[in-house]
């Protein structure tokens, strides 16, 4: 989660680019309608992230695992975990 979405998206595209060359990830990226791994990353404010979490469950997921990255600031990370904790209730 971040308030600097454009910067974080650019960072994600750059730092997650190694996934773009792995065949199994290429398939998952393509199934998500994207061409690059950084496009699949959930990046946005609280409302955007919460909507993406709901989308997974609405699609039938019974368990969703989130991975924290260091793409954003420590404050961004705290905001993310706080929101995910609230959504888990």
């Amino acid at each position: 989660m971040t308030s600097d979405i454009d910067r974080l998206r650019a960072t994600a595209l750059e730092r997650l680019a190694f996934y773009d060359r792995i065949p199994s990830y290429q398939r998952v990226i393509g199934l998500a309608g994207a061409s690059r791994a950084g496009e699949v990353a959930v990046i946005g404010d609280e409302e955007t992230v919460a909507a993406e979490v709901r989308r997974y469950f609405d699609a039938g997921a019974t368990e969703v695992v989130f991975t924290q990255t260091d793409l954003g600031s420590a404050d961004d990370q705290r905001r993310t975990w706080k929101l995910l904790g609230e959504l888990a209730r």
Side-chain angles (χ1 to χ4, degrees):
M1 218 165 356
T2 185
S3 54
D4 194 352
I5 296 167
D6 292 337
R7 182 190 62 79
L8 205 62
R9 178 68 63 198
T11 300
L13 288 168
E14 177 185 311
R15 298 210 8 225
L16 301 176
F18 69 94
Y19 287 112
D20 300 341
R21 297 182 301 277
I22 301 170
S24 59
Y25 280 97
Q26 289 172 345
R27 177 160 164 67
V28 172
I29 293 165
L31 288 171
S35 60
R36 300 173 67 190
E39 296 169 0
V40 178
V42 177
I43 298 172
D45 59 13
E46 284 83 354
E47 188 175 308
T48 300
V49 173
E52 284 296 301
V53 171
R54 281 191 299 276
R55 190 172 69 85
Y56 285 115
F57 287 108
D58 289 347
T62 57
E63 185 174 321
V64 178
V65 177
F66 294 90
T67 302
Q68 179 69 52
T69 70
D70 63 350
L71 296 175
S73 69
D75 184 53
D76 291 339
Q77 292 172 7
R78 281 188 293 278
R79 284 174 59 198
T80 301
W81 287 121
K82 180 177 186 267
L83 174 67
L84 293 175
E86 291 169 358
L87 293 174
R89 294 187 191 132

